[in-house]
Amino acid sequence: MHIMEGYLPVSHALGWAALSLPFVAYGARKIIRTLEEKPETKMLLAASGAYVFVLSALKIPSVTGSCSHPTGTGLAATLFGPSVTAVLGTIVLLFQALLLAHGGLTTLGANVFSMAIAGPFIAYGLYRGLTRAGASMAVAVFFAAALGDLATYCVTALQLALAFPDPVSGVFGAAVKFLAVFAPTQAPLAISEGLLTVVVMNLLSRYSADELKALAPATGKA
Amino acid sequence: MLKQNLILIAAVAGLAVAPLFIHRDGKAEFSGSDGQAEALITEIRPDYQPWFSPLWEPPSGEIESLLFALQAAVGAGLIGFYFGRRSATPKTPRSPSAENRAG
């Protein structure tokens, strides 16, 4: 889902950055507030950020014969909410843009929007919706993390289609082409991310009950 | 919980390894989807020139993999540290008190 440095026209690069900035700014304020009100969740916040670090570093083979990486944002989104996740994802994307030439500074806004905002929001919405509908924690977390991961890649495809419409079939035709590149490769990885996030949540419910309770209003389990 | 987690981890490992068996004929390149998207951009707009290039690029594939390994190691280390702390004190007192810090 990393759009490479310089691969978005200036207007698109600026537009996505302007769209992403308020989410990240709000998320930063929310992190400060969360740490003031619930200092006991500091370590869990760090661990959630670390989960994004690990998962987004792993390029995993897919049944399509290509490789891609999970996002790791579903965990933080279900625990701390999407705006906090926007900050964590931005840190990871900045690290990769500066040290790995993966993604870039000019495309940071667009990449933040797909990986750190759109995916986490969908994950959070699914988690809340499914738990309210009576789904078990494991089922809700699985679908939240898996579909949040897949959504990130679909958003990337749409961002590229908007920037590079097909000369014949337009934005829609380009979207189909970019989705064909990302979605089939990502599907099994999204399942993996969903399963792995359930593993972590299982561990958390066993060892971190107090922190989960402190965060409960944010996770909708009050 | 342990049993469920072991099954889930086995499934994740299976999903990662299965593609290598499916594509045993060696025709699959296992290239990155980001790179394929870049190629598709060039196909749609052959004249497109990136207007900015990375400030710094890892000088070789080895150094790139070093940095990716570092990224994963830092993350995994922190998660291991976290669960180590939590599992060592299953019933953490509500306030982060001195005894919590002692370990």
Side-chain angles (χ1 to χ4, degrees):
Chain A
M1 47 62 63
H2 292 84
I3 300 177
M4 293 295 167
E5 186 77 282
Y7 267 88
L8 279 182
V10 180
S11 58
H12 287 249
L14 290 175
W16 290 113
L19 198 59
S20 294
L21 194 62
F23 289 97
V24 178
Y26 177 79
R29 283 190 53 185
K30 198 173 168 207
I31 287 184
I32 293 169
R33 214 169 55 225
T34 307
L35 292 182
E36 272 171 8
E37 289 168 8
K38 304 159 188 166
E40 68 272 33
T41 61
K42 187 161 65 177
M43 285 269 290
L44 182 56
L45 180 69
S48 307
Y51 187 69
V52 183
F53 249 72
V54 178
L55 261 67
S56 65
L58 300 177
K59 296 185 185 173
I60 302 171
S62 171
V63 284
T64 54
S66 305
C67 285
S68 190
H69 62 86
T71 63
T73 55
L75 179 70
T78 53
L79 290 172
F80 290 94
S83 62
V84 168
T85 312
V87 178
L88 301 177
T90 302
I91 294 169
V92 176
L93 287 166
L94 203 56
F95 174 91
Q96 295 182 324
L98 291 174
L99 291 181
L100 289 157
H102 261 63
L105 295 177
T106 62
T107 51
L108 186 65
N111 290 333
V112 164
F113 189 83
S114 64
M115 188 178 116
I117 296 171
F121 262 92
I122 287 175
Y124 179 72
L126 278 169
Y127 180 73
R128 301 264 329 224
L130 286 168
T131 39
R132 251 182 225 172
S136 70
M137 182 278 283
V139 170
V141 167
F142 171 77
F143 282 104
L147 295 178
D149 172 317
L150 198 58
T152 287
Y153 279 80
C154 293
V155 170
T156 301
L158 296 179
Q159 287 171 326
L160 288 172
L162 284 172
F164 301 99
D166 190 89
V168 183
S169 51
V171 171
F172 182 79
V176 172
K177 284 186 182 180
F178 282 111
L179 280 170
V181 167
F182 286 119
T185 295
Q186 199 61 27
L189 301 194
I191 294 171
S192 291
E193 171 159 3
L195 298 175
L196 212 53
T197 308
V198 173
V199 169
V200 175
M201 277 300 244
N202 279 340
L203 290 168
L204 287 175
S205 24
R206 170 138 177 202
Y207 295 119
S208 310
D210 287 351
E211 283 149 291
L212 292 185
K213 214 194 272 170
L215 289 169
T219 56
K221 289 196 297 188
Chain B
M1 184 209 70
L2 184 65
K3 196 176 160 203
Q4 191 192 28
N5 272 2
L6 286 176
I7 293 169
L8 291 174
I9 289 170
V12 170
L15 275 168
V17 176
L20 305 177
F21 281 90
I22 295 169
H23 296 282
R24 251 173 316 178
D25 54 6
K27 280 182 200 141
E29 289 176 9
F30 288 110
S31 59
S33 60
D34 286 346
Q36 292 167 12
E38 195 182 323
L40 182 54
I41 292 172
T42 315
E43 191 190 309
I44 291 176
R45 281 272 305 275
D47 59 323
Y48 186 81
Q49 290 293 331
W51 54 279
F52 200 80
S53 35
L55 300 176
W56 185 80
E57 277 187 72
S60 72
E62 274 70 19
I63 294 171
E64 185 182 340
S65 64
L66 164 70
L67 289 165
F68 267 116
L70 186 69
Q71 186 189 330
V74 167
L78 226 156
I79 294 171
F81 177 75
Y82 173 81
F83 277 116
R85 288 284 290 262
R86 285 298 172 268
S87 59
T89 50
K91 288 260 188 267
T92 316
R94 243 172 191 269
S95 58
S97 59
E99 70 164 284
N100 204 5
R101 248 159 258 234

